[in-house]
Amino acid sequence: MPTVAIVGRPNVGKSALFNRLAKRKIAIVHDQPGVTRDRISAPCLATTIPCTLIDTGGIGGTLEDGFAEAVTIEADIAMQTADLILFVVDAQDGMTPVDLDLGAKLRKAKPPVMLVVNKVDDDKHTKNADEFARLGFGEAVRVSAEHGKGMSFLTEKIDEFLKPLVGEIEQLVAEAEIAGIKLAIVGKPNAGKSSLANAILNDQRTIVSEIAGTTRDAIDLPCEFAGERFTLIDTAGLRPRSKRDTSVEVFSAMRSERAVRRADLCILVVDLAAGISSQDRKIAQMILEENKPCLIVLNKFDLYHPEAPKKARMEEATEHVKRELFFLAYAPFVAVSAKSGQAVDQVLKEVLKIRKGAQNVPSTGKLNRMLQDAMQLNPPPSDRRSAKRVKLYYATAAVEEKYSVIPVPTFVLFVNDKSLMPKSYESYLSNRLREFNPVAGVPIVFSVRSRDRREWEKRDPPGGARGGKKTS
């Protein structure tokens, strides 16, 4: 999916524009410069061509030190990762030295740059908008993100820019077949990611060093195992955001995060000898948020209580993983020593098991019966205000196999009112569904949608294909 980065100096309205294009209030909008400190991404719902939005506000610099360094790093990040850059300026403030510096930087960008003059709320701002022509990005698109003016024209222009990329995306799908199963090897620095890749490949293809952070780029390494093709994506170690002190580290982290998004499955490598840390949990949370299939590799098992019997060590390691990564319970794990090669062959064997299990998507009838049984066994709680309960009319599994060899189905639940579905009950249904249909390594993703029962029955009369699947 193409990526559109929104770049500009602080307080020009990047977050307001982001929210308009996402059609949701995701980014915080405030008059104080620098409110957006972390990169935010979301699907763009305003354009015809699907794309991902990135709000780059505030990355890489402290506002107290001035804007120049911060916006320069924003520009670098956009130039490295985006397919289209929206360069946002403020019509009410007019041209500033920071705009000029940022414009000079973006003119060297490989991705196309669209100049968006924001805060054109009335005619008196038009004169100021004209002066931005000297930035050299052609005709600017004038909008008022706060009031929604000019947004339809902007989305049309974005579609024009992205249209040529559609063919490229189709080409990527074809290339995915050649790549086989794409495995992103992720983890904190010095967990043994490159050593694991080398052990799988049985070849020193990547640099291995005791110095944390040796790997800077996400490296694609093709290999074959048991007659199957794989692509190992060896990524840079992900350090906490607060410790990413250079733009190079920011780029490395973004490439690693992008590798997670394009992978079919993530291999989370943890240093078992050191124990699972808070950073391991953050990386695991990122995998969970991306709804990615996952395999946990417990590396350096040979150094984990080496004096104890193997069975006792494995039992203790199992308890450690279940306790520290309880929220990633769907991911199986294998204990290995990448340095010695111990049990490394189990990694790809387990990946193939996960892929095989992922094909076992329950049919619509089986899915509805499983959920109906779960709701009868433990009825949903009543809403405190209305005393109403969520009622399930129908469920189906939506699977997009085109873009992944390990598909993650979205279980779409049509209910009377999705606001009556508490997260705790959704978790209960997820656990019951996993008991009924155990698929190791693949997350369960729900999409709960409200439907009026009369409208539903009009479309599907009782006794029809869907009428008999309703439950209360």
Side-chain angles (χ1 to χ4, degrees):
M1 186 179 293
T3 300
V4 178
I6 303 175
V7 172
R9 62 180 176 82
N11 211 31
V12 294
K14 299 190 298 295
S15 295
L17 183 64
F18 177 93
N19 288 340
R20 281 284 179 185
L21 291 172
K23 291 191 174 181
R24 289 186 292 164
K25 289 188 177 181
I26 301 171
I28 301 171
V29 179
H30 196 281
D31 289 339
Q32 179 183 346
V35 169
T36 304
R37 293 297 180 111
D38 292 326
R39 178 172 42 84
I40 302 170
S41 64
C44 180
L45 302 181
T47 54
T48 302
I49 296 176
C51 60
T52 299
L53 297 170
I54 296 179
D55 183 1
T56 58
I59 292 180
T62 56
L63 294 171
E64 292 76 11
D65 296 334
F67 296 147
E69 183 183 357
V71 295
T72 297
I73 292 178
E74 287 182 13
D76 286 338
I77 291 169
M79 290 163 67
Q80 291 278 342
T81 61
D83 298 297
L84 171 65
I85 298 171
L86 301 185
F87 178 17
V88 185
V89 293
D90 186 336
Q92 296 182 21
D93 286 351
M95 185 87 71
T96 70
V98 179
D99 291 324
L100 288 169
D101 289 344
L102 187 51
K105 185 85 175 177
L106 291 176
R107 280 195 293 273
K108 301 174 185 177
K110 184 178 179 181
V113 178
M114 185 191 305
L115 181 63
V116 179
V117 183
N118 191 27
K119 303 185 183 180
V120 185
D121 298 336
D122 50 49
D123 293 339
K124 69 181 181 181
H125 302 137
T126 303
K127 281 188 178 181
N128 285 352
D130 292 339
E131 70 173 311
F132 290 102
R134 59 194 176 103
L135 287 171
F137 294 104
E139 185 180 356
V141 179
R142 301 174 185 182
V143 302
S144 172
E146 184 177 352
H147 300 105
K149 293 181 180 178
M151 293 304 297
S152 60
F153 181 66
L154 174 62
T155 55
E156 288 175 9
K157 296 293 288 183
I158 293 174
D159 280 330
E160 285 180 21
F161 273 92
L162 297 182
K163 192 173 182 180
L165 295 176
V166 174
E168 293 179 21
I169 293 170
E170 292 175 351
Q171 177 66 26
L172 289 174
V173 173
E175 291 173 358
E177 297 179 4
I178 299 173
I181 306 174
K182 298 187 294 295
L183 307 175
I185 304 176
V186 297
K188 67 183 182 182
N190 219 24
K193 299 180 297 300
S194 295
S195 296
L196 178 65
N198 287 336
I200 292 174
L201 293 164
N202 195 25
D203 182 18
Q204 295 292 320
R205 294 281 295 276
T206 59
I207 301 170
V208 179
S209 170
E210 292 182 1
I211 301 173
T214 303
T215 302
R216 291 291 190 181
D217 292 316
I219 305 169
D220 285 14
L221 304 167
C223 69
E224 289 191 13
F225 176 80
E228 297 282 351
R229 291 178 177 176
F230 298 85
T231 297
L232 309 180
I233 309 171
D234 186 16
T235 65
L238 288 168
R239 295 209 299 168
R241 286 183 184 274
S242 60
K243 295 183 179 179
R244 297 176 194 172
D245 50 6
T246 67
S247 59
V248 174
E249 280 210 71
V250 174
F251 302 151
S252 296
M254 291 191 69
R255 291 189 189 104
S256 296
E257 291 165 4
R258 200 168 190 175
V260 167
R261 288 194 293 271
R262 72 183 176 94
D264 298 309
L265 180 144
C266 294
I267 296 177
L268 173 59
V269 182
V270 299
D271 182 346
L272 184 61
I276 295 171
S277 67
S278 60
Q279 184 60 12
D280 291 318
R281 288 191 289 272
K282 288 178 182 177
I283 298 169
Q285 185 65 38
M286 179 181 71
I287 295 170
L288 182 67
E289 290 172 356
E290 292 291 339
N291 295 324
K292 286 293 180 179
C294 181
L295 171 66
I296 301 170
V297 172
L298 306 177
N299 192 26
K300 306 183 186 180
F301 183 62
D302 53 328
L303 304 178
Y304 184 70
H305 302 302
E307 71 287 348
K310 183 177 180 180
K311 183 178 179 182
R313 292 162 61 206
M314 198 66 218
E315 288 176 354
E316 188 170 339
T318 299
E319 288 301 315
H320 182 57
V321 174
K322 287 183 177 179
R323 181 176 64 253
E324 298 297 331
L325 297 176
F326 64 91
F327 54 91
L328 205 67
Y330 70 86
F333 57 86
V334 292
V336 308
S337 172
K339 190 173 182 180
S340 67
Q342 177 187 341
V344 167
D345 61 331
Q346 293 300 314
V347 175
L348 296 186
K349 286 181 181 178
E350 196 65 37
V351 169
L352 291 175
K353 283 184 185 178
I354 293 172
R355 186 190 64 172
K356 184 178 180 180
Q359 314 305 318
N360 186 28
V361 180
S363 65
T364 299
K366 184 178 179 181
L367 175 64
N368 280 272
R369 285 191 296 273
M370 287 190 297
L371 292 173
Q372 184 181 43
D373 290 344
M375 296 183 81
Q376 287 177 350
L377 183 66
N378 180 21
S382 298
D383 182 69
R384 292 181 179 179
R385 295 179 181 177
S386 64
K388 294 181 179 178
R389 297 176 189 266
V390 66
K391 295 180 180 179
L392 177 66
Y393 297 150
Y394 178 68
T396 188
V399 183
E400 180 53 87
E401 297 183 9
K402 184 177 180 181
Y403 300 105
S404 177
V405 295
I406 306 180
V408 177
T410 297
F411 295 104
V412 186
L413 311 183
F414 296 99
V415 301
N416 56 332
D417 184 349
K418 66 180 182 181
S419 67
L420 298 175
M421 175 76 82
K423 282 293 180 184
S424 58
Y425 197 72
E426 196 171 314
S427 297
Y428 161 73
L429 291 179
S430 176
N431 292 334
R432 294 297 296 172
L433 188 57
R434 190 167 295 283
E435 288 177 18
F436 287 131
N437 188 58
V439 178
V442 180
I444 290 178
V445 182
F446 282 134
S447 175
V448 185
R449 304 181 187 180
S450 298
R451 284 290 185 271
D452 182 86
R453 182 159 194 161
R454 288 170 295 181
E455 175 190 351
W456 194 258
E457 289 181 343
K458 185 177 180 181
R459 289 175 54 196
D460 299 279
R466 295 174 180 167
K469 303 286 192 302
K470 296 170 186 173
T471 184
S472 56

